[in-house]
Amino acid sequence: NFAFDMARTSLESKLPDVHREYAIFLEENGRFKDAEEEYINAQCPREAVDMWILQNEYNHAMRVAQTFDPTLINYVVEKRDGIDPTMQGDDDDDVPTTIQIAGQESDVDSDEDDDMHGHMPSRVKPVENKDSMLGNDNADVISKIKALGKQHRFSEMMDLAEKHDVLDDSILMIYVRHLISKDYKYEKALEVMKTYSMYPVSDPSNLSLFRKLARRVFWIHPDPSKEVVETLLTLLREIEKKQANAPYYKKEMRHYKTIAHLMYMQHVLKDTIPELYAKACVSLLRYCDVIPPDRAFYLAGESCKNVNEMDMSFVFLSRYLDVVEALDDLPEPTPKPNADEPLIRNTVELENSEFLKSDIPYNVPIPVKPYLDEDEKDRVTDDVLQAAISQSEPSLPTRACPNPQCSSEGDDYVASLSCYECKFKYDSCIITGYPVPEKDRVYCSNCHVPAVRSHWNSYILKFKSCPNCHSNQLTK
């Protein structure tokens, strides 16, 4: 409510973004009808349609298309009839005259359909059937592949497609879609894509599914493995290359790629360069409204303590305890039948005086599962209390804004990517995510990503190659 009030009173242009973020939260928690309303308020009917398609609720998808964006009608039919053969009827050569709701039940009562949800048109532009474009032998193979997909015999389906050299993105997506939207096996979905070295991102309608995949990987408890994060990062880089202009997901997927990259750098740096590891953990705090905030603040606090950044450690571990306190005050959500386990209890607005001039969010999601057990949480509590006694008013380190016209007084948070006063923006370092000052800027000679000179040199001395493009590099 606070975010909505702020947007209405002073940042009206941001109101659709707030509605959209709330819609994503509602969708993640299985409140699909409410999420649809928020997507519409955000002027994103395509995302509402994709949400219903992801749930195999094609009548609801068509209702949204008919009501809010008729240009999406054929898209819904194509998704139902042409992309996912596991959802087709027994006679694959027929274009269905209506689309039946398949799979799990929606959280919307079925008796609402006649009153408010509309019906599928009796005939929309037919989708050319893949079988008709192939020879008889291949058509027979495709029919067998579809049959195996319907029976959930996915290993046999993939083997048959490979044997006959017909494995493509649409066939792979039969398996991947089932793993994500039915079995909730997100790590397995990434493993399958990695195994076949195929990342089916050419179809923009898959981006809604991959958005869910990314968010679920970020919230793997207690931490996603290095291999899982690396595969997710590969997927997100493919999306950036092939869907750079996707209107609904461009900004969000770039956001997720940055998060995945920093999480990957955490794994790389943790036991090798502790000073840079701490900085990567601190940079991830910018995204504590997307990743589990208790994990983010705990790792930032502990890593800063390990490199003797005691003020930062105190502030971040204190914030960790704020999140845990909010978690203890909120009830666990009731799991929904036929849905994945909920991740978030609710979102809360945390006290913000310590972070006022930073880019660290203070409206954060509170996880269902705490990152630490009770004994570890008590240890952190004792450490913070001891530090409060021995340290005098710990605060976050600051720097001066490089903009000569800026009226700030040298009190911008040192890890922020923008000035609090004048909004001057920095590039982020590919090694640590820290802001790159102009005088300390260096670039990879191959992919030209920027880095802080000292961070780059420390990394290259150890690993010899760019963390983004993996080309051999020298210190600068």
Side-chain angles (χ1 to χ4, degrees):
N1 288 337
F2 175 79
F4 283 121
D5 291 342
M6 281 284 291
R8 289 190 189 99
T9 56
S10 59
L11 293 168
E12 191 168 349
S13 64
K14 294 291 185 182
L15 191 57
D17 291 338
V18 177
H19 281 294
R20 185 175 179 276
E21 283 299 314
Y22 188 41
I24 292 170
F25 167 77
L26 293 169
E27 180 182 351
E28 191 64 53
N29 284 273
R31 295 167 58 184
F32 302 119
K33 185 179 177 182
D34 294 334
E36 178 197 308
E37 181 178 348
E38 292 302 317
Y39 279 130
I40 298 306
N41 289 338
Q43 302 165 27
C44 296
R46 168 66 178 268
E47 294 193 54
V49 165
D50 282 343
M51 175 189 72
W52 286 123
I53 289 174
L54 185 60
Q55 300 305 315
N56 299 324
E57 297 284 12
Y58 290 92
N59 278 351
H60 297 323
M62 179 54 71
R63 171 182 51 78
V64 173
Q66 289 175 315
T67 305
F68 298 103
D69 189 350
T71 65
L72 295 172
I73 290 174
N74 279 337
Y75 168 72
V76 175
V77 174
E78 288 169 7
K79 291 306 298 175
R80 170 59 182 85
D81 189 44
I83 298 298
D84 189 349
T86 63
M87 303 307 302
Q88 291 186 345
D90 292 332
D91 187 354
D92 292 314
D93 289 326
D94 290 338
V95 177
T97 57
T98 62
I99 292 181
Q100 303 299 320
I101 297 178
Q104 302 165 354
E105 291 184 359
S106 165
D107 66 343
V108 182
D109 294 334
S110 59
D111 59 5
E112 288 182 312
D113 287 349
D114 292 337
D115 297 328
M116 59 178 286
H117 285 184
H119 297 279
M120 192 64 65
S122 61
R123 177 70 64 174
V124 186
K125 177 184 175 182
V127 179
E128 188 169 11
N129 192 282
K130 185 174 183 177
D131 297 356
S132 65
M133 301 167 64
L134 302 168
N136 289 335
D137 290 342
N138 271 356
D140 185 53
V141 169
I142 295 298
S143 295
K144 290 178 181 177
I145 288 171
K146 291 178 181 179
L148 291 170
K150 288 178 184 178
Q151 298 164 27
H152 299 169
R153 293 160 61 186
F154 297 114
S155 293
E156 296 173 66
M157 178 190 78
M158 299 297 285
D159 288 344
L160 184 62
E162 275 200 307
K163 178 181 177 181
H164 290 275
D165 197 27
V166 294
L167 180 58
D168 62 7
D169 283 2
S170 63
I171 292 173
L172 182 69
M173 277 305 298
I174 297 172
Y175 192 10
V176 170
R177 186 180 298 277
H178 184 89
L179 288 170
I180 296 172
S181 62
K182 296 293 187 182
D183 288 350
Y184 315 123
K185 294 182 178 178
Y186 308 103
E187 293 164 278
K188 179 66 175 178
L190 287 168
E191 180 188 324
V192 167
M193 287 185 273
K194 181 179 179 179
T195 297
Y196 291 97
S197 298
M198 293 175 63
Y199 297 89
V201 301
S202 56
D203 183 353
S205 66
N206 292 336
L207 297 187
S208 177
L209 193 72
F210 293 146
R211 178 182 70 186
K212 177 181 180 180
L213 174 64
R215 292 177 78 94
R216 283 283 172 172
V217 167
F218 295 153
W219 282 72
I220 288 174
H221 189 274
D223 304 272
S225 69
K226 179 181 179 181
E227 292 72 25
V228 166
V229 172
E230 185 175 22
T231 308
L232 175 64
L233 183 55
T234 300
L235 172 67
L236 294 170
R237 283 172 173 162
E238 288 296 308
I239 290 172
E240 184 177 55
K241 284 192 291 186
K242 296 183 180 178
Q243 294 293 340
N245 296 315
Y248 298 99
Y249 302 106
K250 180 179 179 180
K251 180 179 178 181
E252 186 174 16
M253 288 301 182
R254 186 183 298 128
H255 203 52
Y256 289 175
K257 191 197 77 167
T258 299
I259 295 170
H261 175 76
L262 285 170
M263 291 176 74
Y264 179 70
M265 295 306 293
Q266 281 182 312
H267 283 289
V268 171
L269 298 168
K270 182 176 182 180
D271 298 319
T272 56
I273 313 177
E275 292 81 8
L276 299 189
Y277 170 68
K279 291 182 185 301
C281 290
V282 169
S283 292
L284 266 170
L285 296 179
R286 288 184 214 113
Y287 311 103
C288 66
D289 55 347
V290 177
I291 62 177
D294 59 337
R295 180 174 76 199
F297 282 105
Y298 171 76
L299 293 179
E302 287 292 302
S303 61
C304 285
K305 181 170 67 175
N306 291 338
V307 295
N308 207 34
E309 293 281 359
M310 302 311 294
D311 279 10
M312 295 179 84
S313 175
F314 177 85
V315 172
F316 296 148
L317 291 177
S318 296
R319 180 60 112 195
Y320 159 78
L321 294 177
D322 291 341
V323 175
V324 171
E325 182 180 356
L327 186 154
D328 291 339
D329 290 342
L330 291 169
E332 285 195 35
T334 303
K336 281 182 168 286
N338 300 321
D340 200 2
E341 62 181 1
L343 298 175
I344 299 167
R345 295 168 187 253
N346 209 331
T347 57
V348 300
E349 180 192 339
L350 300 174
E351 194 279 327
N352 199 45
S353 59
E354 291 287 350
F355 299 91
L356 188 62
K357 295 190 176 183
S358 78
D359 52 3
I360 297 175
Y362 54 91
N363 202 350
V364 299
I366 302 301
V368 171
K369 295 180 181 178
Y371 182 62
L372 299 182
D373 61 26
E374 284 296 317
D375 289 343
E376 280 295 292
K377 183 186 79 171
D378 291 343
R379 178 190 64 77
V380 174
T381 303
D382 292 342
D383 288 349
V384 169
L385 290 174
Q386 185 62 41
I389 295 170
S390 59
Q391 291 175 247
S392 57
E393 299 186 20
S395 61
L396 294 176
T398 60
R399 59 148 191 261
C401 175
N403 178 8
Q405 280 77 47
C406 181
S407 60
S408 69
E409 299 177 354
D411 55 355
D412 277 350
Y413 168 51
V414 71
S416 180
L417 291 182
S418 62
C419 172
Y420 178 78
E421 290 290 339
C422 71
K423 311 307 178 188
F424 175 89
K425 293 189 181 299
Y426 297 83
D427 288 330
S428 63
C429 174
I430 194 63
I431 311 294
T432 62
Y434 257 50
V436 180
E438 192 61 39
K439 63 183 177 63
D440 293 323
R441 178 191 300 269
V442 296
Y443 295 94
C444 169
S445 63
N446 183 59
C447 68
H448 308 293
V449 292
V452 177
R453 184 186 305 275
S454 60
H455 302 179
W456 175 268
N457 288 343
S458 295
Y459 184 87
I460 295 302
L461 280 172
K462 181 73 176 178
F463 296 104
K464 315 300 182 188
S465 63
C466 171
N468 186 58
C469 67
H470 307 296
S471 64
N472 291 335
Q473 293 290 310
L474 300 173
T475 57
K476 298 179 185 291

